[in-house]
Amino acid sequence: GRGLRRLHLPTPSAVAQVAAWPLAARAWADGLRDLPPADLYHACGLGAVVAAHRLASAARGSGRRGAVVYDLIDIFLEANRYPTLPGWRRSFYRRREAGLVHAADLLTTVNDALADDAVVRWRLAERPLVVFNAPSRAELPQGDTDLVRRAAGLPAATRVVAFIGRFVPGRGILEA
């Protein structure tokens, strides 16, 4: 173990972890294998697309279409702990991710910037379909609109950041 690390070579346990990546998604797919086969699987994010491809493959084996729509909700390998991993590991993950992207029947994403990034990142012949999946802008009510600050007992000059998501490194909370 230590000798391999000194030589900057992956340890056997690191290689096993990488080969099974993403393990949680594979386990999730195994847990869903008893569902009836479907014609379409919509996967929101990298972990879900691993499960969707496994389920779709089984569905095709039973005579269903088993198409996969991969919703590229973020630049997965640029977030969380992935940028801090050793280069060989990130490279392996990038190749696996690219394979999942190219195997999908349709790619969607939530905005133009992610669609443009996907075209360049994976050398796509076709731009992902942009589906803005948020409610339409609502008009603010008239009158007291400082409800958050009032409920928190904050003065009107205090800046408030609302963050909805996971509080993990690399997700932008510190920048926000």
Side-chain angles (χ1 to χ4, degrees):
R2 283 194 335 239
L4 292 175
R5 281 193 293 275
R6 272 196 306 267
L7 294 172
H8 301 289
L9 296 174
T11 63
S13 69
V15 171
Q17 279 182 322
V18 169
W21 180 84
L23 188 58
R26 292 170 182 271
W28 182 34
D30 289 344
L32 298 173
R33 72 173 168 254
D34 292 334
L35 291 175
D39 290 318
L40 178 67
Y41 295 88
H42 178 236
C44 214
L46 185 62
V49 81
V50 170
H53 279 299
R54 291 185 85 175
L55 294 168
S57 177
R60 288 189 296 273
S62 69
R64 301 302 297 250
R65 179 156 183 237
V68 173
V69 174
Y70 182 6
D71 188 348
L72 305 163
I73 59 173
D74 58 13
I75 303 172
F76 192 83
L77 294 176
E78 301 296 327
N80 300 319
R81 64 184 173 86
Y82 290 105
T84 66
L85 294 176
W88 66 269
R89 195 165 175 173
R90 287 192 321 271
S91 178
F92 180 84
Y93 290 164
R94 279 194 296 272
R95 284 192 304 279
R96 180 163 286 169
E97 181 184 37
L100 293 165
V101 166
H102 287 283
D105 296 284
L106 176 69
L107 298 172
T108 64
T109 193
V110 297
N111 61 44
D112 289 321
L114 285 173
D116 293 342
D117 179 84
V119 169
V120 172
R121 184 177 299 272
W122 296 297
R123 297 179 181 96
L124 300 176
E126 189 174 325
R127 188 172 189 264
L129 175 66
V130 175
V131 179
F132 185 70
N133 57 359
S136 299
R137 182 174 166 243
E139 292 300 317
L140 293 174
Q142 298 299 314
D144 184 9
T145 59
D146 208 7
L147 302 176
V148 172
R149 284 185 195 84
R150 191 162 35 91
L154 299 171
T158 301
R159 292 182 179 181
V160 175
V161 174
F163 183 84
I164 300 172
R166 292 187 303 157
F167 291 100
V168 295
R171 284 297 194 146
I173 185 63
L174 296 178
E175 292 82 357

